[in-house]
Amino acid sequence: MTSGRFGSLVILLSLALGGFALRAQTAPAPLTLEQALALARTRNPSLLSGRQHVTATRASEVTAGFRQNPSFTLSGADVSLPANNPANPYSYTANVSRLFERGEKRRWRLDVARAATDVTQSQYGDTERQTILQVKQAFTNMLAAKAALKIAGDNLASYSRTVDLSKARLNAGDISATDFDRIDLQLAEFEADTNAAKLDLIQASDQLQLLLGIARSTTTFDITGTLDPPALTQTLEQMEQSALAARPDYQAAVQSVRVADASIHLADAEGTTDPTVGGEYERTATYNSAGFQISIPLRVFDRNQGEKERTRYEAQASRFAETAARNQVINDVDQAWAGYEAAVEMATRYNNHFVAEAQRVRDNLEYSYRHGGTTLLDYLDALRDYRQVNLGALTANQQVWLSIHQLSFAAATEILP
């Protein structure tokens, strides 16, 4: 009785451990595009590095806001001589002085530092925008690779059934061994397509995992999504306005103008004279005295003329750069929009006409060939046309999505609902 209970316990424990091991080996759930983007924002090393750089740049605002420190000097003379020596009495001197900045230098230093931080933040935003585009492209390419592998697998399975049928016809004496060999040789082409599609999928998966910050790629990684072309509701004019309002590289160009303007004010302020005011206390033998000092540099030659002129030219250059950046934004959106329209036109032709037509031709010729109504070459041509048309449709749909990602990148706006 006891041994029976012990055996039951061992069986239950084994089942529990087996279930735990099965759960441990279960592949993670496939990622959606939104989940992949969220993962990239939190784990991509380049983005993590960029955020730290922004934080480091912001710390320079603290340095720019510092006021001038006072100076304290303490000195003594003849301190080792007797106090009653009238010829060389000891003396102690304490001096406190401070430089006072004029021309609102601290204010303009802060303005330059804050504007520089804004530029760095916008530059990081542009880095994030480019990384997000790379993730979207890699995600779409992996979806396309999965779909291409399915097409290659379906074609291989379909043709394998033809080979099996031909084998049966060979055994029954309906076809010659040479005809069967010709049929069997074509199987290598379909197997090669399948192997190439598997390799493309592995490489696309590795590229996406790299962008997501995964140190070592894994074969259990998977994604989910569709390549069906979506419909956009925005117009070209709306895309252009969104780009001008949101493009971080254009915002950086605008902020660089503010940096240049603040630098002009700082250069003018640096040309002003900063006095140094100090107070002094002295004790000589038994006598105490106090005094003060004011030091004013005479800026006869150096009035910061070079920096004043340089910053004004730099400001003008920044304004030209802003105009160039604005023109580039509009041009990027226009080109991305043209690419989207061309991709949609091609995908529409494939999806609404060629795919269904290629499938009808393949099905009819497959049926005809299996019943002796057509030649092997005609059937193989139909299979190749079907494969090429489906791959063409897949590529067209892929290009629609890539053009949408490019348009979102150009406008710095998520244009899909």
Short mmCIF file of all heavy atoms in Angstrom, two decimals, residues 240-276:
data_model
loop_
_atom_site.label_atom_id
_atom_site.label_comp_id
_atom_site.label_asym_id
_atom_site.label_seq_id
_atom_site.Cartn_x
_atom_site.Cartn_y
_atom_site.Cartn_z
N GLU A 240 3.37 67.69 -44.99
CA GLU A 240 4.40 68.74 -44.99
C GLU A 240 4.32 69.59 -43.73
O GLU A 240 5.35 69.91 -43.11
CB GLU A 240 4.26 69.61 -46.23
CG GLU A 240 4.60 68.88 -47.53
CD GLU A 240 4.33 69.72 -48.76
OE1 GLU A 240 3.61 70.74 -48.64
OE2 GLU A 240 4.82 69.36 -49.85
N GLN A 241 3.12 69.96 -43.33
CA GLN A 241 2.97 70.76 -42.11
C GLN A 241 3.37 69.97 -40.87
O GLN A 241 4.00 70.52 -39.95
CB GLN A 241 1.52 71.25 -41.99
CG GLN A 241 1.10 72.24 -43.07
CD GLN A 241 2.01 73.46 -43.13
OE1 GLN A 241 2.34 74.05 -42.09
NE2 GLN A 241 2.39 73.84 -44.33
N SER A 242 3.02 68.70 -40.85
CA SER A 242 3.42 67.87 -39.71
C SER A 242 4.94 67.76 -39.63
O SER A 242 5.52 67.80 -38.54
CB SER A 242 2.81 66.47 -39.84
OG SER A 242 1.39 66.53 -39.80
N ALA A 243 5.58 67.65 -40.78
CA ALA A 243 7.04 67.53 -40.80
C ALA A 243 7.70 68.79 -40.27
O ALA A 243 8.65 68.74 -39.48
CB ALA A 243 7.52 67.23 -42.22
N LEU A 244 7.22 69.96 -40.70
CA LEU A 244 7.82 71.21 -40.24
C LEU A 244 7.61 71.41 -38.74
O LEU A 244 8.43 72.05 -38.07
CB LEU A 244 7.22 72.39 -41.01
CG LEU A 244 7.59 72.47 -42.49
CD1 LEU A 244 6.83 73.60 -43.17
CD2 LEU A 244 9.10 72.67 -42.65
N ALA A 245 6.53 70.85 -38.21
CA ALA A 245 6.26 71.02 -36.79
C ALA A 245 6.98 69.99 -35.93
O ALA A 245 7.26 70.25 -34.75
CB ALA A 245 4.76 70.94 -36.53
N ALA A 246 7.32 68.83 -36.51
CA ALA A 246 7.81 67.73 -35.67
C ALA A 246 9.20 67.23 -36.02
O ALA A 246 9.80 66.52 -35.21
CB ALA A 246 6.82 66.55 -35.74
N ARG A 247 9.74 67.56 -37.19
CA ARG A 247 11.04 67.01 -37.57
C ARG A 247 12.13 67.49 -36.61
O ARG A 247 12.40 68.69 -36.52
CB ARG A 247 11.39 67.42 -38.99
CG ARG A 247 10.84 66.53 -40.06
CD ARG A 247 11.67 65.31 -40.31
NE ARG A 247 12.92 65.60 -40.95
CZ ARG A 247 13.14 65.51 -42.27
NH1 ARG A 247 12.18 65.12 -43.08
NH2 ARG A 247 14.34 65.77 -42.76
N PRO A 248 12.77 66.59 -35.88
CA PRO A 248 13.78 67.04 -34.90
C PRO A 248 15.01 67.64 -35.54
O PRO A 248 15.63 68.54 -34.95
CB PRO A 248 14.12 65.75 -34.14
CG PRO A 248 13.69 64.64 -35.02
CD PRO A 248 12.54 65.15 -35.82
N ASP A 249 15.38 67.20 -36.76
CA ASP A 249 16.55 67.81 -37.38
C ASP A 249 16.26 69.25 -37.78
O ASP A 249 17.15 70.13 -37.69
CB ASP A 249 17.00 66.99 -38.59
CG ASP A 249 15.88 66.77 -39.59
OD1 ASP A 249 14.69 66.87 -39.22
OD2 ASP A 249 16.18 66.49 -40.77
N TYR A 250 15.02 69.53 -38.19
CA TYR A 250 14.66 70.92 -38.49
C TYR A 250 14.56 71.74 -37.22
O TYR A 250 14.99 72.90 -37.18
CB TYR A 250 13.33 70.96 -39.26
CG TYR A 250 12.86 72.38 -39.53
CD1 TYR A 250 13.60 73.23 -40.33
CD2 TYR A 250 11.67 72.85 -38.98
CE1 TYR A 250 13.18 74.53 -40.58
CE2 TYR A 250 11.24 74.14 -39.23
CZ TYR A 250 11.99 74.98 -40.03
OH TYR A 250 11.58 76.26 -40.26
N GLN A 251 14.03 71.15 -36.16
CA GLN A 251 13.98 71.85 -34.88
C GLN A 251 15.38 72.17 -34.38
O GLN A 251 15.62 73.23 -33.81
CB GLN A 251 13.23 71.00 -33.85
CG GLN A 251 11.76 70.76 -34.17
CD GLN A 251 10.99 72.04 -34.34
OE1 GLN A 251 11.13 72.98 -33.55
NE2 GLN A 251 10.15 72.10 -35.36
N ALA A 252 16.32 71.26 -34.60
CA ALA A 252 17.70 71.52 -34.21
C ALA A 252 18.28 72.70 -34.99
O ALA A 252 19.05 73.50 -34.44
CB ALA A 252 18.56 70.27 -34.43
N ALA A 253 17.90 72.80 -36.27
CA ALA A 253 18.38 73.94 -37.07
C ALA A 253 17.80 75.25 -36.54
O ALA A 253 18.50 76.27 -36.47
CB ALA A 253 18.00 73.74 -38.53
N VAL A 254 16.51 75.23 -36.16
CA VAL A 254 15.89 76.43 -35.60
C VAL A 254 16.55 76.79 -34.27
O VAL A 254 16.84 77.96 -33.99
CB VAL A 254 14.38 76.20 -35.42
CG1 VAL A 254 13.74 77.38 -34.70
CG2 VAL A 254 13.71 75.99 -36.77
N GLN A 255 16.80 75.79 -33.45
CA GLN A 255 17.42 76.04 -32.15
C GLN A 255 18.87 76.50 -32.30
O GLN A 255 19.37 77.26 -31.45
CB GLN A 255 17.33 74.78 -31.30
CG GLN A 255 15.91 74.43 -30.88
CD GLN A 255 15.72 72.96 -30.54
OE1 GLN A 255 16.62 72.14 -30.76
NE2 GLN A 255 14.55 72.62 -30.03
N SER A 256 19.53 76.08 -33.36
CA SER A 256 20.91 76.54 -33.59
C SER A 256 20.94 78.04 -33.85
O SER A 256 21.93 78.71 -33.52
CB SER A 256 21.52 75.78 -34.77
OG SER A 256 21.68 74.41 -34.45
N VAL A 257 19.90 78.58 -34.45
CA VAL A 257 19.81 80.03 -34.64
C VAL A 257 19.73 80.72 -33.29
O VAL A 257 20.37 81.77 -33.07
CB VAL A 257 18.59 80.38 -35.52
CG1 VAL A 257 18.40 81.89 -35.59
CG2 VAL A 257 18.74 79.80 -36.91
N ARG A 258 18.97 80.14 -32.35
CA ARG A 258 18.88 80.73 -31.01
C ARG A 258 20.23 80.66 -30.30
O ARG A 258 20.60 81.58 -29.57
CB ARG A 258 17.79 80.03 -30.20
CG ARG A 258 16.39 80.27 -30.74
CD ARG A 258 15.34 80.08 -29.65
NE ARG A 258 15.25 78.69 -29.24
CZ ARG A 258 14.42 77.81 -29.78
NH1 ARG A 258 13.62 78.18 -30.79
NH2 ARG A 258 14.36 76.57 -29.36
N VAL A 259 20.96 79.56 -30.50
CA VAL A 259 22.30 79.46 -29.93
C VAL A 259 23.18 80.57 -30.49
O VAL A 259 23.93 81.23 -29.75
CB VAL A 259 22.92 78.08 -30.22
CG1 VAL A 259 24.38 78.05 -29.79
CG2 VAL A 259 22.16 76.98 -29.50
N ALA A 260 23.11 80.79 -31.79
CA ALA A 260 23.94 81.81 -32.43
C ALA A 260 23.58 83.21 -31.94
O ALA A 260 24.46 84.04 -31.68
CB ALA A 260 23.79 81.73 -33.95
N ASP A 261 22.28 83.48 -31.78
CA ASP A 261 21.86 84.80 -31.29
C ASP A 261 22.34 85.02 -29.85
O ASP A 261 22.81 86.12 -29.50
CB ASP A 261 20.34 84.93 -31.36
CG ASP A 261 19.83 85.04 -32.80
OD1 ASP A 261 20.64 85.41 -33.68
OD2 ASP A 261 18.65 84.74 -33.04
N ALA A 262 22.22 84.00 -29.02
CA ALA A 262 22.70 84.12 -27.65
C ALA A 262 24.21 84.28 -27.61
O ALA A 262 24.75 85.01 -26.76
CB ALA A 262 22.28 82.91 -26.83
N SER A 263 24.90 83.65 -28.54
CA SER A 263 26.36 83.79 -28.60
C SER A 263 26.76 85.21 -28.97
O SER A 263 27.80 85.72 -28.50
CB SER A 263 26.94 82.80 -29.61
OG SER A 263 26.70 81.47 -29.21
N ILE A 264 25.97 85.87 -29.80
CA ILE A 264 26.24 87.28 -30.13
C ILE A 264 26.15 88.14 -28.87
O ILE A 264 27.04 88.96 -28.59
CB ILE A 264 25.26 87.78 -31.20
CG1 ILE A 264 25.54 87.11 -32.54
CG2 ILE A 264 25.35 89.30 -31.34
CD1 ILE A 264 24.55 87.47 -33.63
N HIS A 265 25.09 87.95 -28.09
CA HIS A 265 24.94 88.72 -26.85
C HIS A 265 26.08 88.42 -25.88
O HIS A 265 26.58 89.33 -25.21
CB HIS A 265 23.60 88.40 -26.21
CG HIS A 265 22.41 88.90 -26.98
ND1 HIS A 265 22.15 90.24 -27.18
CD2 HIS A 265 21.40 88.23 -27.61
CE1 HIS A 265 21.04 90.38 -27.89
NE2 HIS A 265 20.56 89.18 -28.17
N LEU A 266 26.48 87.15 -25.81
CA LEU A 266 27.56 86.80 -24.89
C LEU A 266 28.87 87.42 -25.35
O LEU A 266 29.66 87.91 -24.52
CB LEU A 266 27.69 85.28 -24.81
CG LEU A 266 28.79 84.75 -23.89
CD1 LEU A 266 28.58 85.23 -22.46
CD2 LEU A 266 28.85 83.24 -23.93
N ALA A 267 29.13 87.43 -26.66
CA ALA A 267 30.35 88.05 -27.17
C ALA A 267 30.37 89.55 -26.88
O ALA A 267 31.41 90.12 -26.52
CB ALA A 267 30.49 87.80 -28.67
N ASP A 268 29.21 90.21 -27.02
CA ASP A 268 29.14 91.64 -26.68
C ASP A 268 29.39 91.85 -25.19
O ASP A 268 30.10 92.79 -24.79
CB ASP A 268 27.77 92.20 -27.07
CG ASP A 268 27.58 92.27 -28.58
OD1 ASP A 268 28.59 92.25 -29.32
OD2 ASP A 268 26.42 92.31 -29.03
N ALA A 269 28.82 90.96 -24.39
CA ALA A 269 29.00 91.09 -22.94
C ALA A 269 30.46 90.84 -22.55
O ALA A 269 30.99 91.50 -21.64
CB ALA A 269 28.09 90.12 -22.20
N GLU A 270 31.12 89.90 -23.23
CA GLU A 270 32.52 89.63 -22.91
C GLU A 270 33.42 90.81 -23.25
O GLU A 270 34.56 90.88 -22.78
CB GLU A 270 32.99 88.39 -23.68
CG GLU A 270 32.35 87.08 -23.26
CD GLU A 270 32.81 86.62 -21.89
OE1 GLU A 270 33.74 87.24 -21.34
OE2 GLU A 270 32.23 85.66 -21.37
N GLY A 271 32.94 91.73 -24.05
CA GLY A 271 33.72 92.91 -24.37
C GLY A 271 33.66 93.99 -23.32
O GLY A 271 34.37 95.00 -23.41
N THR A 272 32.79 93.85 -22.32
CA THR A 272 32.70 94.84 -21.25
C THR A 272 33.76 94.58 -20.19
O THR A 272 34.32 93.49 -20.09
CB THR A 272 31.31 94.81 -20.61
OG1 THR A 272 31.08 93.50 -20.06
CG2 THR A 272 30.22 95.10 -21.64
N THR A 273 34.03 95.60 -19.38
CA THR A 273 35.07 95.53 -18.34
C THR A 273 34.47 95.01 -17.05
O THR A 273 33.41 95.47 -16.61
CB THR A 273 35.68 96.92 -18.11
OG1 THR A 273 36.27 97.38 -19.34
CG2 THR A 273 36.74 96.86 -17.04
N ASP A 274 35.17 94.07 -16.45
CA ASP A 274 34.72 93.48 -15.18
C ASP A 274 35.65 93.94 -14.06
O ASP A 274 36.84 93.58 -14.04
CB ASP A 274 34.75 91.95 -15.25
CG ASP A 274 33.78 91.40 -16.29
OD1 ASP A 274 32.77 92.07 -16.55
OD2 ASP A 274 34.06 90.31 -16.83
N PRO A 275 35.15 94.76 -13.14
CA PRO A 275 36.01 95.23 -12.04
C PRO A 275 36.17 94.16 -10.96
O PRO A 275 35.30 93.30 -10.79
CB PRO A 275 35.26 96.44 -11.51
CG PRO A 275 33.82 96.13 -11.79
CD PRO A 275 33.81 95.36 -13.09
N THR A 276 37.27 94.23 -10.26
CA THR A 276 37.51 93.37 -9.11
C THR A 276 37.58 94.26 -7.87
O THR A 276 38.39 95.19 -7.81
CB THR A 276 38.82 92.59 -9.27
OG1 THR A 276 38.75 91.78 -10.45
CG2 THR A 276 39.05 91.69 -8.06
#
